[in-house]
Amino acid sequence: MTESQSEKPAVSDADMLARFQNSKKRPPCSDTLGMRLSEVTQADKRIRMDFDVPKMFANPTGAVQGGFIAAMMDEAMSTCCIIASNVTMTAPTLEMKASYLRRLMPGPAHVEARILKWGRSAAFMEAECFDHEGKLVAKATATAIPMPFKRLG
């Protein structure tokens, strides 16, 4: 799947969303993060994930520790790649840069992720994390390596 290809999605956005929401094979890390896929826009290679961030993710000040925010953004970008490939590819993260703009408190949050460019050897992605009021909390960019999807272990 290259950027120049204008492939029509194999399934509708609603069907892809339902496939992920009803999956019995959710990874434990998704459950730990409180993740729920809430929007899929395959034509734009974009998704939205909602999170219910638990209090156990808080640092001593009561705000969510930045590593958990990074994990939420990484989860969204990786899922975006899986969906963009029609669940045939995954894209392990090679590198990621996160910038934190304000604190995130435990509770509802969401991440919007999109693929900027998908090539044969690299995928470039970005994500933004928002708090329950819709205020931008953090931004991330990442590079990943597309490879055939298969479960390990």
Side-chain angles (χ1 to χ4, degrees), residues 63-113:
V64 177
Q65 196 270 344
F68 291 109
I69 298 169
M72 292 161 45
M73 292 188 292
D74 188 41
E75 175 82 359
M77 289 185 284
S78 295
T79 301
C80 195
C81 288
I82 292 168
I83 289 171
S85 74
N86 194 32
V87 195
T88 62
M89 304 284 282
T90 187
T93 305
L94 295 173
E95 63 81 29
M96 184 172 118
K97 178 192 184 299
S99 298
Y100 303 95
L101 309 170
R102 66 172 21 98
R103 329 191 294 177
L104 177 65
M105 301 307 287
H110 75 272
V111 173
E112 295 174 9

Side-chain angles (χ1 to χ4, degrees), residues 27-144:
C29 61
S30 298
D31 291 333
T32 299
L33 291 171
M35 179 276 282
R36 182 181 171 276
L37 186 64
S38 57
E39 284 181 30
V40 172
T41 309
Q42 294 174 89
D44 296 335
K45 296 182 183 85
R46 186 183 64 74
I47 67 163
R48 174 184 162 144
M49 284 186 166
D50 294 332
F51 292 87
D52 185 15
V53 185
K55 289 182 182 177
M56 71 172 132
F57 288 3
N59 62 27
T61 70
V64 177
Q65 196 270 344
F68 291 109
I69 298 169
M72 292 161 45
M73 292 188 292
D74 188 41
E75 175 82 359
M77 289 185 284
S78 295
T79 301
C80 195
C81 288
I82 292 168
I83 289 171
S85 74
N86 194 32
V87 195
T88 62
M89 304 284 282
T90 187
T93 305
L94 295 173
E95 63 81 29
M96 184 172 118
K97 178 192 184 299
S99 298
Y100 303 95
L101 309 170
R102 66 172 21 98
R103 329 191 294 177
L104 177 65
M105 301 307 287
H110 75 272
V111 173
E112 295 174 9
R114 70 184 185 106
I115 299 169
L116 301 172
K117 181 174 173 64
W118 183 291
R120 277 182 280 177
S121 60
F124 300 91
M125 307 154 300
E126 68 179 6
E128 295 179 323
C129 180
F130 299 88
D131 67 12
H132 72 282
E133 295 177 338
K135 292 180 181 173
L136 182 62
V137 170
K139 292 182 72 117
T141 57
T143 307

